[in-house]
Amino acid sequence: MNHDMPSPAGTKDVFSTDAVFGAPCWVSLTSRDVKTTEEFYGAVLGWTWRPVRLGDRFRIALADGAPVAGIAGVATMWQMAVAWTPYFAVRSADEAVSRVQERGGTTAVGPISLAPGRAALLADRDGATFGIWEGELFTDWPTWRRAQPAFIKLHTRDAFDAAIFYGEVFDWASEKPGCCEVQYEGDEVVLRSGGDVVARIESGALEAAPDPTIRPHWQVHFAVRDVAACARAAEIHGGSVLSLSPEEAVLRDNDGAQFTVTTRRGR
């Protein structure tokens, strides 16, 4: 499982997925080797690292001392794809997995227990991979969301069909207090939680495309100060640049995982 929620022992005012159900709550990378991953993202994004309770194969990435993402060096051991994955907060992992399966999605892993909660790795009915998390979030999670170090966007076959799928799984636009709000802006579906834009869904991906960058997938975006410098560093350290503009670059790390860097902090 490539999900790791840091919840340091002894902290107070622990945040729970009950408070933000249906919203993206974390991003995590499954890699083959933690040390190699640390070196690449340290050079490209300037991240530093801290250990977590799950063991030597897991790390939390820090940007300016704040948690940004989780890293799990278990791709080979657990025969999983090397990839960035967004996680959504749920009140019940078992219920969320059942809803996914009932609506044509699939389960890759879980639900499994990972203190202090439960997680599963899933795919929607068009094949885009995502995770769910039930339980505690790290204490400064609201700061993480407000700082917008990471943002996710679903590239899919039909944005409106995808919004129905995820809405039924995560209770988007339901009458439940605190649920995420869904708005349609042109060809995009925009997801808001507590008034903040937390994800976007856009049409255009091809379900059976031979190129994995064109097939439906969740793309993780990281806000950076210098897009061009990140692209150069990625190439120097064994990665590649898939596309580059002054404000945004789609990169592939030295293990094959795709991600985006952007100067745009507004969503």
Side-chain angles (χ1 to χ4, degrees):
M1 192 61 207
N2 70 332
H3 184 84
D4 182 65
M5 277 298 170
S7 182
T11 55
K12 299 179 180 179
D13 302 324
V14 174
F15 215 71
S16 168
T17 53
D18 283 346
V20 290
F21 70 94
C25 62
W26 193 238
V27 294
S28 184
L29 171 65
T30 305
S31 73
R32 294 186 178 91
D33 180 75
V34 169
K35 186 175 186 299
T36 300
T37 299
E38 287 180 341
E39 292 173 351
F40 178 87
Y41 286 94
V44 175
L45 298 178
W47 288 351
T48 56
W49 311 90
R50 77 179 184 207
V52 294
R53 295 182 293 180
L54 292 180
D56 293 339
R57 294 180 182 271
F58 299 86
R59 297 286 189 278
I60 295 300
L62 305 174
D64 299 323
V68 180
I71 306 294
V74 297
T76 301
M77 180 175 68
W78 290 351
Q79 298 183 338
M80 296 173 65
V82 173
W84 278 102
T85 303
Y87 281 78
F88 292 82
V90 297
R91 287 173 165 164
S92 168
D94 291 319
E95 182 179 353
V97 168
S98 295
R99 290 184 180 186
V100 167
Q101 294 172 338
E102 289 166 359
R103 289 157 179 79
T106 56
T107 304
V109 178
I112 60 174
S113 296
L114 294 170
R118 303 185 74 223
L121 185 65
L122 309 160
D124 66 24
R125 53 190 171 215
D126 284 327
T129 301
F130 64 99
I132 58 170
W133 175 254
E134 169 201 347
E136 296 178 6
L137 303 172
F138 54 89
T139 306
D140 49 356
W141 182 83
T143 301
W144 175 82
R145 185 168 74 169
R146 286 194 299 270
Q148 303 185 69
F151 176 69
I152 61 172
K153 180 181 286 189
L154 176 61
H155 303 266
T156 191
R157 175 183 54 83
D158 184 327
F160 304 106
D161 181 71
I164 292 171
F165 172 88
Y166 287 97
E168 292 177 344
V169 170
F170 296 131
D171 287 322
W172 292 352
S174 66
E175 296 181 355
K176 296 182 178 181
C179 71
C180 291
E181 302 169 354
V182 175
Q183 292 184 327
Y184 299 94
E185 298 181 1
D187 295 331
E188 281 192 332
V189 176
V190 180
L191 182 69
R192 285 181 167 83
S193 175
D196 297 324
V197 177
V198 293
R200 292 180 181 270
I201 302 174
E202 66 176 19
S203 302
L206 303 177
E207 190 171 359
D211 184 347
T213 64
I214 299 175
R215 292 199 296 266
H217 66 282
W218 281 98
Q219 185 79 352
V220 177
H221 298 240
F222 296 106
V224 299
R225 295 184 179 90
D226 190 331
V227 167
C230 290
R232 289 193 298 271
E235 291 182 318
I236 291 171
H237 290 84
S240 57
V241 179
L242 303 181
S243 67
L244 176 64
S245 72
E247 291 190 328
E248 186 171 285
V250 180
L251 308 177
R252 185 171 284 148
D253 70 19
N254 55 351
D255 214 8
Q258 181 179 309
F259 63 103
T260 297
V261 293
T262 178
T263 58
R264 296 190 294 270
R265 292 187 175 272
R267 295 174 175 178

